[in-house]
Amino acid sequence: MNKKVALVTGAARGLGEKIARKLHANGYWVCVADIDLEQATSVATSIDASGKTAMALSLDVRRKQDFIAACDALDVRWGGASVLVNNAGQSRVAALMEITPEEFDDVVAINLKGTFLACQVFGKYFSERGYGRIVNIASLAGQNGGAATGAHYAASKGGVATLTKVFARDLAGTGVTVNSISPGPLDLPIVHQIVPKEKMAVMLQNIPVHTLGDPDFIADAVLLWTSPEAGFATGACIDINGGLYMR
């Protein structure tokens, strides 16, 4: 079994793209999975134009069948996968008392339900093969209730942290580990879109290290969890938040 075949959700841009590129640069064959197939294809082609070690896949994390189809596609293309990174997510800023039921459902469906479906499908797939590494991208917002993000985002990411433990416990002993990373504010376009320029200086002042996080370092942490040598670590979380939350 090739233990260096990875699928990254939400990898067409942002942190997901950074993770996909980092994994590939460290010897992984990478599937760039995203609901935006055109952009995912562009990223995969830029990683490896030959298509030998990078491929794109259309995947809507709200659909269980899409994850089943992804397993099948990776079996056909590369003989299977061994790493799953649940990165796909949606962040919306909204006043607590103004979030509609529909808005709440939309965010939870992508961030929490998507992670659940992915862990369920790939957890079973990996356990049957006797090996796997699952990494869930949680968030500081799920630990401290959020500040710049909406309650629906914070609640969904808190759920991701709990699901990580649930699946880690269930899959323990099968050769499959499930861990998470909880980043604070990162130097990514989405953060600059959410935080107005006039508020950015204040936010940076409130971060103990006075800077946004480096997305490439988050990708380095993903590499740590996906390592074949990381078999003794499961149900754990790495906090990378500039000192905003300590435990």
Side-chain angles (χ1 to χ4, degrees), residues 36-114:
D36 185 346
L37 180 58
E38 182 178 355
Q39 182 60 28
T41 300
S42 176
V43 171
T45 301
S46 70
I47 290 174
D48 180 3
S50 74
K52 180 181 178 182
T53 61
M55 64 179 284
L57 195 66
S58 175
L59 192 151
D60 183 340
V61 297
R62 297 167 295 186
R63 290 171 40 86
K64 183 174 183 177
Q65 187 55 45
D66 280 18
F67 285 108
I68 295 172
C71 284
D72 292 340
L74 288 164
D75 272 333
V76 171
R77 183 69 169 267
W78 290 327
S82 55
V83 171
L84 166 69
V85 181
N86 285 314
N87 165 80
Q90 186 175 89
S91 177
R92 295 184 189 175
V93 177
L96 176 60
M97 298 304 180
E98 297 175 7
I99 297 172
T100 67
E102 293 76 19
E103 290 171 337
F104 188 90
D105 287 347
D106 285 346
V107 171
V108 170
I110 294 171
N111 297 353
L112 184 56
K113 178 184 175 183

Side-chain angles (χ1 to χ4, degrees), residues 113-176:
K113 178 184 175 183
T115 299
F116 169 76
L117 295 175
C119 288
Q120 191 179 56
V121 172
F122 274 84
K124 181 176 184 293
Y125 173 79
F126 289 157
S127 65
E128 290 173 348
R129 293 165 66 91
Y131 178 86
R133 298 284 182 263
I134 297 176
V135 183
N136 297 326
I137 303 300
S139 173
L140 168 66
Q143 298 171 317
N144 69 358
T149 55
H152 36 9
Y153 177 81
S156 66
K157 288 298 188 177
V160 168
T162 299
L163 277 181
T164 298
K165 298 173 185 178
V166 172
F167 277 100
R169 183 178 62 244
D170 191 78
L171 295 169
T174 68
V176 182

Side-chain angles (χ1 to χ4, degrees), residues 21 89 143 158 178 182 225:
R21 292 186 183 280
Q143 298 171 317
V178 188
S182 288
W225 282 150

